Amino acid sequence: MFKKLFGNKEKVEQLLAPINGQVINIEDVPDPVFSGKMMGDGIAILPEEGLVVSPIDAEVIQVFHTKHALGLRTKHGIELLIHIGLETVNLKGEGFEVHVTEGQRVKAGDKLVTFDIEFLKSKAPSIVTPIVVTNGDLVEKIEKTDSTQANIKETEILKVYVK
């Protein structure tokens, strides 16, 4: 009744693909930390090129010194981790170039990181890139894309409903 009278005040965050590539279920990521959702729930993409853009308007809250991952916070407080490849922390930043700094505000589609995809393929166990919500306590539910292909700024990969 309240929603009917006053309108739906539901808070929803819509994330667009930050990478062009094949969509993979988080449960199928070949790393138990991600597949077991220990870091949080989300989706993964097998990149076709070495470009990562922001999936949503957000603040950059963490840039790992090894350049392989970064954290974003959306306007409703949802925190996202974009982790490029698996065990890529061991590369100590080699093959990555970060284009943002902590505290910077970004818009959906802004360039975050570029990476040498061939170098990563040769040095990392996998280039699968998980995109996860790390503060699931704020989440009512997550709807995931049923698309098998992700296209930057086009494919909505996640819809996050905030409590």
Side-chain angles (χ1 to χ4, degrees):
M1 180 70 171
F2 181 81
K3 282 186 180 181
K4 195 173 195 179
L5 288 175
F6 297 102
N8 189 345
K9 298 292 183 191
E10 194 167 55
K11 294 183 280 187
V12 180
E13 301 277 17
Q14 296 175 302
L15 279 66
L16 298 175
I19 301 168
N20 289 323
Q22 178 188 348
V23 176
I24 297 173
N25 291 328
I26 197 76
E27 297 86 358
D28 296 331
V29 171
D31 182 315
V33 171
F34 291 106
S35 63
K37 301 180 185 177
M38 293 177 211
M39 299 290 293
D41 198 2
I43 205 159
I45 298 174
L46 181 61
E48 293 172 350
E49 62 183 335
L51 171 65
V52 179
V53 302
S54 183
I56 193 168
D57 295 356
E59 177 186 356
V60 178
I61 57 170
Q62 185 172 18
V63 176
F64 287 71
H65 71 281
T66 49
K67 305 177 188 174
H68 74 289
L70 51 84
L72 301 173
R73 182 180 301 121
T74 68
K75 69 179 177 185
H76 292 304
I78 295 299
E79 294 182 359
L80 305 169
L81 171 70
I82 301 174
H83 193 284
I84 305 163
L86 303 178
E87 297 181 34
T88 47
V89 65
N90 299 332
L91 300 177
K92 299 182 172 116
E94 191 176 356
F96 297 95
E97 184 177 353
V98 177
H99 302 278
V100 293
T101 57
E102 288 181 13
Q104 183 176 339
R105 294 220 163 266
V106 293
K107 297 277 187 196
D110 286 355
K111 186 186 327 184
L112 300 176
V113 179
T114 50
F115 59 95
D116 182 337
I117 193 167
E118 294 306 321
F119 176 78
L120 263 62
K121 284 179 180 178
S122 71
K123 299 289 185 183
S126 174
I127 62 168
V128 166
T129 299
I131 300 106
V132 297
V133 175
T134 58
N135 59 345
D137 55 314
L138 293 183
V139 175
E140 184 73 34
K141 72 176 177 174
I142 296 177
E143 290 178 2
K144 302 176 186 184
T145 184
D146 55 6
S147 178
T148 58
Q149 180 67 27
N151 296 307
I152 287 176
K153 298 192 262 185
E154 292 178 20
T155 309
E156 183 180 288
I157 57 165
L158 296 174
K159 191 179 282 190
V160 181
Y161 294 83
V162 183
K163 288 181 182 174

